[in-house]
Amino acid sequence: MEEASALYQQGFDALRVVVARRVDGSSPEALVTAVQAAGLPCDASQDRDELVLLLALTEWEMTPSALAYSEMAEDAARRGVCLVPEL
């Protein structure tokens, strides 16, 4: 499970870099509009990194890797196991 969690985070981080490159040069207003169009709440007070993170998250959640991980996390939760590491 730890390996799956690490791979999930690695995949998400890689996608976040891709999304950041893709929206490089976009205005903050355009990013807010894109995030809102993706169905996530946000506002103009959020910084660029937060907006990019939200955009990446909307894309990541629909990847086969993320869907498989979500299935594993739900199954683990039914068995009383939490995949979120304690800080």
Side-chain angles (χ1 to χ4, degrees), residues 8-82:
Y8 176 94
Q9 189 61 48
Q10 182 182 13
F12 177 70
D13 289 342
L15 180 62
R16 187 175 43 79
V17 169
V18 170
V19 170
R21 286 184 188 138
R22 188 176 64 229
V23 300
D24 188 39
S26 297
S27 71
E29 294 81 13
L31 292 177
V32 167
T33 300
V35 170
Q36 290 173 338
L40 294 175
C42 69
D43 59 60
S45 69
Q46 291 178 281
D47 70 22
R48 181 176 198 80
D49 289 339
E50 290 175 316
L51 296 170
V52 168
L53 183 75
L54 290 171
L55 284 173
L57 184 59
T58 61
E59 286 187 35
W60 176 249
E61 287 179 338
M62 299 312 296
T63 65
S65 298
L67 292 171
Y69 182 82
S70 293
E71 237 355 91
M72 285 179 18
E74 289 172 12
D75 184 56
R78 284 190 291 273
R79 298 168 192 254
V81 176
C82 180

